[in-house]
Amino acid sequence: MSNFDIQLLLTALVSVLVLVALIVSRIRMHPLLALLIVCIGVGFATGMAPGDIAKNITNGAGKTLGAVGVVIALGAMLGKILADSGTTERLASAILRHTSDRMIPWAMTLVAFIIGIPMFFEVGLVVMLPLIFSVARKLESRENFKGSAYVYVGVPVIAALASMHGMVPPHPGPLTAIATLKTTVGPTMLYGFLAALPAMVLGGPLYGAFITPRMTTRPEQALLDQFTEAKPDSGKDQPGIAMGVLSALLPALLMLAHALAEMALPKGSALLQVASFLGNPLIAMLLGVLFAAFTLVYLRGGDAEKLRDTLGASLKPIAGIIMIIAGGGAFQQVLTSAKVGDAIVHLTHQFAFPPLVLGWLIAMLLSVSTGSATVGIVGAAGLLAPLAAADPSLNLPLLALSIGCGSLFFNYANHAGFWMVKESFGMTMGEATRTITVVQSIVSFVGLLMVLLFNALPALGG
């Protein structure tokens, strides 16, 4: 390691500490302003030209808004339609009616597990928020409930979505590792499902039950009202619950169809191109909103002008969330462009670890330092590809899984997902750290333990 590598690593560490200090100290700076200030500080500290600093901030924020922001906005619209039609209210009532309080986290884990098979973490969370808020709001009204109902219901969802996102194809991270290491989807997917089950249980219902009595988290009232208050048109019949559920699940079904098509159809197939278009998160969410508007409002004779105003109003409570997430994307881009990832790679060269542990470690360090799980996976898989090709005894599906697990560890202030959870649930920095950061760390570490366990057993094939 060079002195410059050490300087980069120290800069990355100090930048996160300064960011936290700006937000939680007496200054109480808005997270977006704090993120932008820290971005500029990192740029100058690492020797970037002023023009490059501004360019990286703009590109990072814009890329994140394009990939996540529009999808979140569409998700808010879909959630508002489902809430106003009474769908989420009836789903929440059904879950509470047929499930004991102690089993609610397990039921939410199952729902998130299914939703999370095709959906990215952020997309899945946006789809699940109306149901999380509706169930938790009913639960917190019970006199004997202690702690935060929103943590009790939300932590299992976060754990399940994170587990699926990092461990199971067809999510882009595992698929990238599979392609780079030249292994196969089938064994990696099976290993991923088997590893995800204990990870989501320990990081979800079990950890959630432990932390809930110690938390008082409650989302902003405007966001709660948007996702939980049913306001059906007077004189109109409420839509059937089946149609409401189909509207909620349509984006997930389209993404799942795309995932299956990628595995079953040859590249260049016309049908694959159609599935790829319809299964794109933005297109799938757009179609979900249009389908819900048509089936839950227009077909019932709803007021079109009222729907337009309602959808416009649905964006106001999440505007601040989207901008903070964009700030997180800018922070991530600045750290990546400053070559912090290269310094991490040089650091790992100083130590000798078994390949499966090394894959997890490199992906973890790159993800933590740059704020990008994708950077962690691409970097780790690229570094270990020559080793994978040269060692026929290495279980490549497990190496791909190890890398995916490592990318999940310690999701913090330079990750867009951290800010999405923090702002959606109305958490402080400390509360967000105790939820998404700890949950994903548990999931990541349990995933590594499962990889090492599987490696001691006969291989599934590679």
Side-chain angles (χ1 to χ4, degrees):
M1 287 185 66
S2 66
N3 290 333
F4 184 63
D5 290 333
I6 296 173
Q7 179 188 338
L8 286 176
L9 295 176
L10 289 175
T11 300
L13 175 61
V14 170
S15 67
V16 173
L17 296 177
V18 170
L19 175 63
V20 174
L22 289 174
I23 295 173
V24 304
S25 67
R26 290 186 178 181
I27 300 175
R28 288 291 190 272
M29 186 172 287
H30 189 276
L32 177 60
L33 296 178
L35 283 163
L36 295 178
I37 289 172
V38 169
C39 286
I40 295 172
V42 169
F44 281 119
T46 56
M48 282 188 196
D52 290 339
I53 296 173
K55 182 179 179 181
N56 279 306
I57 292 174
T58 303
N59 289 346
K63 183 169 61 177
T64 303
L65 282 177
V68 179
V70 178
V71 173
I72 292 174
L74 291 170
M77 290 182 174
L78 177 59
K80 184 60 175 173
I81 295 173
L82 294 173
D84 282 0
S85 68
T87 298
T88 50
E89 181 76 11
R90 280 177 286 162
L91 277 175
S93 297
I95 290 175
L96 292 172
R97 189 166 56 250
H98 295 99
T99 309
S100 66
D101 289 1
R102 185 170 295 182
M103 292 303 294
I104 284 174
W106 299 90
M108 295 301 292
T109 300
L110 178 60
V111 174
F113 172 81
I114 296 170
I115 290 289
I117 291 174
M119 283 194 167
F120 297 172
F121 176 84
E122 290 87 357
V123 181
L125 184 60
V126 128
V127 169
M128 289 289 295
L129 277 179
L131 186 59
I132 293 171
F133 288 173
S134 294
V135 172
R137 196 169 194 176
K138 287 179 176 293
L139 198 59
E140 73 172 345
S141 65
R142 300 180 179 178
E143 294 181 1
N144 61 341
F145 190 85
K146 296 180 180 179
S148 170
Y150 300 91
V151 170
Y152 189 65
V153 178
V155 161
V157 172
I158 293 170
L161 293 176
S163 298
M164 301 306 291
H165 184 81
M167 299 184 191
V168 181
H171 288 282
L175 283 180
T176 300
I178 289 168
T180 305
L181 298 173
K182 294 182 171 55
T183 185
T184 50
V185 172
T188 310
M189 178 176 282
L190 182 54
Y191 278 133
F193 275 121
L194 293 174
L197 291 176
M200 69 177 66
V201 166
L202 289 170
L206 296 184
Y207 178 69
F210 168 76
I211 197 175
T212 291
R214 298 164 174 81
M215 301 278 283
T216 57
T217 297
R218 196 173 195 275
E220 293 288 337
Q221 190 62 42
L223 205 58
L224 280 178
D225 292 343
Q226 171 170 316
F227 283 142
T228 60
E229 285 195 349
K231 300 174 183 176
D233 291 340
S234 57
K236 306 294 181 184
D237 294 331
Q238 288 193 350
I241 188 67
M243 187 59 69
V245 171
L246 178 59
S247 300
L249 291 181
L250 182 61
L253 295 175
L254 291 173
M255 293 183 204
L256 181 59
H258 173 213
L260 295 175
E262 279 192 320
M263 292 184 284
L265 298 175
K267 291 183 178 180
S269 164
L271 189 57
L272 177 58
Q273 292 181 18
V274 173
S276 178
F277 174 73
L278 296 178
N280 179 281
L282 189 149
I283 300 300
M285 289 299 296
L286 174 60
L287 292 174
V289 173
L290 295 177
F291 182 80
F294 183 73
T295 57
L296 304 182
V297 181
Y298 294 135
L299 283 184
R300 297 172 50 242
D303 189 329
E305 187 170 350
K306 180 181 177 182
L307 174 63
R308 184 185 65 185
D309 294 340
T310 296
L311 294 182
S314 72
L315 299 178
K316 294 178 183 178
I318 55 107
I321 297 175
I322 292 176
M323 294 311 300
I324 291 171
I325 290 172
F331 190 23
Q332 169 193 319
Q333 183 63 50
V334 170
L335 288 172
T336 302
S337 297
K339 304 297 183 183
V340 172
D342 291 349
I344 292 293
V345 171
H346 297 157
L347 174 65
T348 61
H349 287 166
Q350 309 298 312
F351 305 96
F353 293 100
L356 296 179
V357 176
L358 185 61
W360 183 90
L361 185 64
I362 294 175
M364 180 271 287
L365 291 173
L366 288 173
S367 177
V368 170
S369 60
T370 65
S372 171
T374 302
V375 170
I377 290 173
V378 171
L383 283 169
L384 295 177
L387 175 62
D391 186 356
S393 66
L394 187 57
N395 189 319
L396 298 187
L398 284 182
L399 181 58
L401 176 59
S402 175
I403 290 170
C405 292
S407 71
L408 296 173
F409 192 84
F410 205 76
N411 186 305
Y412 198 53
N414 52 347
H415 287 73
F418 174 89
W419 294 103
M420 182 174 178
V421 171
K422 177 186 178 300
E423 297 301 318
S424 296
F425 286 86
M427 294 176 172
T428 64
M429 290 291 291
E431 289 171 335
T433 302
R434 282 182 281 167
T435 49
I436 182 171
T437 304
V438 174
V439 167
Q440 291 207 190
S441 297
I442 292 173
V443 167
S444 174
F445 189 67
V446 172
L448 173 62
L449 293 180
M450 294 302 295
V451 165
L452 297 178
L453 174 63
F454 294 148
N455 193 50
L457 301 174
L460 294 175

